[in-house]
Amino acid sequence: MKKTQFFVLLCLSFAQQTVYATNKSAVIASAGLDDNPHELAKSFVPEQETFALAGFYIDYHYDELFYWDVTSEKAQYFDDGRADWFNLNTDIKVASDFSIKDVVFNYSIGLNYQSNDETFVNKETGLVATYTTTPVNSEPVVTESIADRFDHKENGFHLSLGYPINKDSLVFLQYASQNRKFENYELTGLDNLDHKESAILVGVEFKPSEYGKYFINFEQQIRKYEDRNDRDREGLLLVDTQLIFNHYQVNLGYEFQLDDKTHWEFKFNYVNRTASDSHYYDAQSGGIHISTDYQLADYHFISGVLAYNTFFYDESLEQSFVYYDQDDVEQRGINLNVEYTWVLATLLDTYLAFYANLQVSDIDSPREEYIYSKNQASIGFRWALD
């Protein structure tokens, strides 16, 4: 997954040319230190690495009808190309209001695309992941790199319909469908992660004052794997089965916007996942998320995110990481992200800012190889049109 410095500069150049055509966008370029880029356990003695990050972000709307949201980021680690990554997200939608017999509704119809490129480093070995095939009859045993195991492309669409019950309350319904394709390997016994996922969400927002808003939503997701079998309690493949996940999720929280200078959000989510047949994959996850944006003084801003997340299986069957999607490892822990911004200059509707970012993670797990801590610090510049 090696990317060149030229590609980083190309992304930055493209963003600089694009920013003029949008009504809210930004370009960033930063450099920093990361003491555990692969999120490995202490036993592997992770080495501190220097890295550079470039990205551009576009949030464009035309006539309050057409919306275009793009996020593209590329990180390059100078001494360890295994830690490089690239991510692209785009979302294009049409959103507006309509009325039926003086009853007003709002709707949106959108398309989205995502591309992710990274190197799979096995947390159990500290090396680029490999897979050894299970011999069948007289077939030879093969060991092959699966470094691109989690590289994927995703496309989908989403529809939503909202109805304001009164001036303080809104109820809405959303349907989304996603199709995700991973890098495929023709290796006997290695699961194919390609899947299609559909989700139905029902939500309510309540705004008791001009400053605060409560929200709650319930969601059901059905994920059907295209070519993946279920497994029994020993982890062995069950022939003539299709693995299907059902996710039942609830999100609730409170958002507080005192003025243009102060914003807070508190959110809790819980997910119960069930699988077909053996229930080998049954799991639960949850988290608490707190974020804030605050203006310290003229041209000085601070933002922060504090999150606690947990993921665990209903039964501990020592599930192997090689069978799973990337985040399906029993872990729990805290992530903190704090960023300080100093606006250096403004011109018309644009500004140039210096920023410093600090990220800290402390993760625990029933399995020692998945326990790790991570500290990352960076400084950079942001050019934005707002």
Side-chain angles (χ1 to χ4, degrees), residues 93-142:
K93 68 179 180 181
V94 176
S96 188
D97 299 332
F98 69 94
S99 60
I100 301 177
K101 294 183 177 180
D102 297 327
V103 178
V104 179
F105 298 86
N106 58 61
Y107 74 93
S108 71
I109 302 172
L111 301 173
N112 60 277
Y113 173 81
Q114 181 188 69
S115 178
N116 184 72
D117 184 11
E118 62 183 293
T119 297
F120 175 23
V121 173
N122 193 331
K123 308 297 176 63
E124 299 174 0
T125 65
L127 305 173
V128 173
T130 60
Y131 181 76
T132 301
T133 60
T134 302
V136 177
N137 299 327
S138 59
E139 293 182 3
V141 175
V142 176

Side-chain angles (χ1 to χ4, degrees), residues 38-78:
H38 300 294
E39 301 177 350
L40 298 175
K42 290 182 179 180
S43 58
F44 291 106
V45 192
E47 295 185 4
Q48 182 171 276
E49 302 283 352
T50 57
F51 71 93
L53 174 68
F56 68 88
Y57 315 89
I58 301 173
D59 187 1
Y60 171 80
H61 65 85
Y62 174 74
D63 199 27
E64 301 296 335
L65 179 62
F66 298 100
Y67 296 80
W68 180 27
D69 190 0
V70 178
T71 297
S72 178
E73 294 179 321
K74 169 71 177 78
Q76 179 165 353
Y77 285 74
F78 299 111

